[in-house]
Amino acid sequence: MSERSFSVGTENKLRDGQVESVSAGHSSLYKDSGALMAFRGVPISELKNHGILQALTTETSGWQPGVVNLEVLRAQEEWEVVDTIHPDTESGVSSQQPGQLISFSEALQHFQTLDLSSFKKRIQPTIRRTGLAALRHCLFGPPKLHLDLREERDLVLTIAQCGLDSQDPVHGRVLRTIYKKLTGSKFDCALHGDHWEDLGFQGANPATDLRGAGFLALLHLLYLVMDSKTLLMAQEIFRLSHHHIQQFPFCLMSVNITRIAIQALREECLSRECNRRQKVIPVVNSFYAATFLHLARVWRVQQRTISDSGFVLKDLEVLAKKSPKRLLKTLDVYLAQVSKGQASLLVAQKCSGSRGPHARDLTFTGVCDVQSHSSESAGLI
């Protein structure tokens, strides 16, 4: 029998997963790559139960190769890797749910199960008023929040006292979910890096921009991007924030709107609506979204730029506290139009004038940075 016909016969036997003992005189044939073609197309995950690899790696009294074949060693190494793959436990993502998005309700439940007593001690649920201001508020101000809703209100204010903890996997999932939903990325990102500046944070660490709003600012962003209707709104505002003239830091603007929502809750501007719905968190979320929607429309129609940010936010705060019901109604109308495919913030617009300065050359002025005209609204938390 010729060497070639023997090789063909051996290959046919190898295809059937049947390995016969081979004499030492023919061991040199296994150095030829032609004999390995039989299992090159077999997936590594299936080789563990395949007779070929078992025969080639066995150390029984059967066949003993005189020369170690590189192809065999490579197959051995790949087979061993299959058995030793372990989940990445140092990436900040849950090993049980790597890379999965997190819903608003899941993130909120996480805080509801934590011991937040140390943070709760810091909150001031309502604004302290004295003299005529207290009398005017008593006679003409909004109603008091119902007693059974005050615990929920305190939870909102307590979360606003919590910072971003990069060691908490839930915090990391919240950040990555916001990033993925706004950018359309399907890959996880680092918790620190220049990519957060693209979303509108001032630096590589989002935690440094949460002053006055705490983790509630991130929960509000999560709420905005995880609802199918408000997601469209968030993406439109995000695109507006990258306009070549009207650009603004999207996430930093959102943090300032969360501050306005916190202050409106503490000044009992939302109590009437909370009492009507018998809920606090959904009302605060809707108020935040409605305020962001109003800001985006004002910003677009009046062609505001980042140099106007402080005064725009101050006017927005006054309007939001004075007419929360009006803002909420506007949001309801907008979302109804979104469901019909009719609503759009970014209609075709023509911007006159020369190209505006780049956002990095201007300073963003937040709502806390503008001098308040009323001593009652000094300090947001």
Side-chain angles (χ1 to χ4, degrees):
M1 180 184 295
S2 66
E3 184 178 49
R4 182 170 177 219
S5 62
F6 180 83
S7 176
V8 172
T10 304
E11 179 176 337
N12 289 335
K13 291 181 180 181
L14 289 175
R15 288 183 187 274
D16 297 332
Q18 299 173 354
V19 179
E20 299 176 357
S21 68
V22 182
S23 63
H26 294 101
S27 63
S28 62
L29 293 176
Y30 282 91
K31 292 185 287 184
D32 185 5
S33 61
L36 295 168
M37 291 299 294
F39 62 92
R40 273 185 176 173
V42 180
I44 293 299
S45 59
E46 297 180 8
L47 287 177
K48 290 186 286 187
N49 300 320
H50 204 287
I52 298 172
L53 193 58
Q54 291 176 356
L56 293 177
T57 57
T58 185
E59 295 182 0
T60 59
S61 59
W63 173 59
Q64 296 290 340
V67 180
V68 178
N69 191 285
L70 294 178
E71 291 282 348
V72 174
L73 289 178
R74 187 179 304 166
Q76 275 186 290
E77 292 172 356
E78 292 177 349
W79 185 38
E80 292 171 357
V81 168
V82 171
D83 284 336
T84 56
I85 290 178
H86 299 289
D88 182 8
T89 57
E90 299 180 356
S91 63
V93 183
S94 172
S95 60
Q96 295 180 346
Q97 297 178 327
Q100 284 194 357
L101 302 180
I102 186 171
S103 66
F104 175 84
S105 59
E106 184 181 352
L108 178 62
Q109 186 178 14
H110 172 71
F111 281 93
Q112 290 173 327
T113 58
L114 295 177
D115 179 12
L116 302 176
S117 55
S118 60
F119 296 101
K120 190 174 182 179
K121 294 176 182 178
R122 307 177 190 173
I123 70 172
Q124 184 182 344
T126 58
I127 296 293
R128 295 191 183 97
R129 298 177 176 86
T130 58
L132 291 177
L135 179 61
R136 184 173 63 251
H137 182 78
C138 182
L139 295 176
F140 308 107
K144 297 283 186 181
L145 187 68
H146 291 170
L147 289 174
D148 57 339
L149 298 177
R150 294 181 183 178
E151 183 176 351
E152 189 177 352
R153 174 202 61 192
D154 292 350
L155 175 61
V156 173
L157 297 177
T158 301
I159 295 175
Q161 293 290 333
C162 299
L164 173 62
D165 182 4
S166 59
Q167 301 301 316
D168 190 326
V170 172
H171 289 207
R173 287 179 64 198
V174 169
L175 267 180
R176 291 187 174 102
T177 298
I178 294 169
Y179 181 85
K180 289 179 179 179
K181 299 295 282 188
L182 285 176
T183 64
S185 173
K186 298 186 181 300
F187 301 99
D188 283 337
C189 59
L191 297 183
H192 300 88
D194 294 341
H195 51 281
W196 294 112
E197 295 183 36
D198 296 334
L199 261 64
F201 287 104
Q202 291 187 109
N205 183 7
T208 60
D209 289 334
L210 303 182
R211 177 176 61 90
F215 203 85
L216 183 64
L218 296 180
L219 282 187
H220 277 166
L221 276 171
L222 183 66
Y223 159 77
L224 204 64
V225 301
M226 287 305 288
D227 183 274
S228 58
K229 293 180 180 179
T230 54
L231 172 61
L232 296 177
M233 183 183 84
Q235 291 172 336
E236 283 199 289
I237 300 175
F238 185 62
R239 287 195 295 272
L240 176 62
S241 73
H242 285 78
H243 189 273
H244 67 284
I245 293 176
Q246 295 183 267
Q247 74 273 359
F248 60 85
F250 175 84
C251 287
L252 197 58
M253 188 73 81
S254 174
V255 171
N256 277 271
I257 295 175
T258 295
R259 291 173 181 167
I260 293 175
I262 293 170
Q263 190 68 4
L265 180 64
R266 292 182 62 229
E267 293 185 16
E268 301 178 296
C269 301
L270 304 179
S271 295
R272 191 184 305 276
E273 188 66 19
C274 291
N275 291 341
R276 187 180 72 83
R277 297 193 196 181
Q278 283 298 297
K279 295 177 180 178
V280 174
I281 293 176
V283 172
V284 175
N285 288 346
S286 296
F287 177 80
Y288 156 82
T291 306
F292 211 164
L293 173 64
H294 184 81
L295 177 136
R297 284 178 165 170
V298 168
W299 198 273
R300 179 184 62 80
V301 172
Q302 298 182 10
Q303 299 194 8
R304 298 294 188 178
T305 65
I306 194 171
S307 60
D308 304 315
S309 59
F311 299 103
V312 170
L313 283 168
K314 192 59 197 175
D315 292 342
L316 180 67
E317 180 182 4
V318 173
L319 173 65
K321 292 177 182 178
K322 183 178 180 181
S323 306
K325 186 177 180 180
R326 172 185 162 191
L327 289 183
L328 292 170
K329 180 64 177 177
T330 302
L331 177 67
D332 291 340
V333 172
Y334 173 82
L335 295 180
Q337 292 174 339
V338 167
S339 64
K340 299 176 183 179
Q342 299 173 348
S344 177
L345 289 171
L346 303 180
V347 295
Q349 55 179 321
K350 295 181 180 179
C351 297
S352 59
S354 59
R355 185 183 180 93
H358 195 275
R360 293 182 184 275
D361 301 326
L362 294 171
T363 302
F364 179 84
T365 306
V367 72
C368 286
D369 302 318
V370 180
Q371 278 292 340
S372 174
H373 297 292
S374 169
S375 60
E376 291 182 7
S377 60
L380 287 177
I381 291 189

